Amino acid sequence: MTDHYAVIGHPISHSKSPLIHKLFAEQTGQDIEYERIEAPIDGFEKTVRDLQGKGYKGCNVTVPFKFEAFAIANRRSERAATAQAVNTLKFDGDMFGDNTDGAGLVHDIEENLGVRLKGKRVLLMGAGGASYGVTLPLLQTHCTLTVANRTVEKAIKLAAAFSGVQASNYADLAEKQFDVVVNATSSGLSDELPPLPPGVFSEGALAYDMMYGKETPFMSFARANGAAVADGLGMLVEQAAEAFYIWRGIRPDTRPVIAKLRS
Ligand code: ATR
């Protein structure tokens, strides 16, 4: 019997998740259907309860509903609890909420890009929901983590929520260098560059933008300053693989899927 899943967001028409899960299902021989659903802005919970009532097994959740998904879950993983946001719900009698974004980022950096994070100096730019989502999994790699934000109070608040995170503004980065710089700001959406000093990239640094589908000003800036550059397409596929594993107990091979999406 076919098991049903969906991704819920607003808007959702651009989502690549149905294609990614279709490729995972073909590869692993799992009998699933996965569709996009646009919930009304004030209708997220009803949409989820309807799916649960129809016998769906779970869903992914994207902008702007990850906080509401956190609120309606009645069991949550530690990484969802620290993110205060849920991108994966599993309907297993209960409503289990998890957040696979940070694991997706870490897998992409370590496994696909071959950069071990242990002992590395990592700079995370931004202190919004995207940063909260990835902070615990980053810390668990035993890297040294600094969070920089334009509004420094938000970086300080994030650092206070996780032990082991240093908060900074951008100006104070002038004398510092990092091995990995992750852009978790929304600056790319408006074609802006966070006010990063050009010397922040160490020799051989990786600059990682969580956005995908376009060259952001951060990516161009990092390239011009000698860093290796990656976009967030690998993270997208890896967070999906982690959700697939939660639902199906099988971890798909992400590399052919990433390659197919790039081609
Ligand atoms: P998300 O859920 O995607 O993280 P958010 O909570 O609105 O979205 O947070 C957006 C983040 O991008 C914030 O950290 C924001 O910085 P401020 O808190 O100072 O506003 C950051 N951001 C957006 N545009 C930026 C820019 N041009 N330069 C630097 N940071 C930017």
Side-chain angles (χ1 to χ4, degrees), residues 104-116 208 233-235 237-238 253-256 258:
L105 174 68
V106 168
H107 267 133
D108 194 36
I109 293 176
E110 294 207 315
E111 311 305 326
N112 301 330
L113 302 169
V115 177
R116 288 286 147 209
Y208 192 103
L233 188 75
M235 175 178 173
V237 175
E238 293 293 344
D253 181 3
T254 50
R255 284 174 201 232
I258 294 171

Side-chain angles (χ1 to χ4, degrees), residues 221-258:
F221 175 83
R223 234 184 275 287
N225 287 286
V229 172
D231 70 3
L233 188 75
M235 175 178 173
L236 176 76
V237 175
E238 293 293 344
Q239 64 76 29
E242 188 78 7
F244 193 89
Y245 177 72
I246 290 163
W247 292 327
R248 310 302 301 178
I250 293 180
R251 191 175 292 284
D253 181 3
T254 50
R255 284 174 201 232
V257 176
I258 294 171

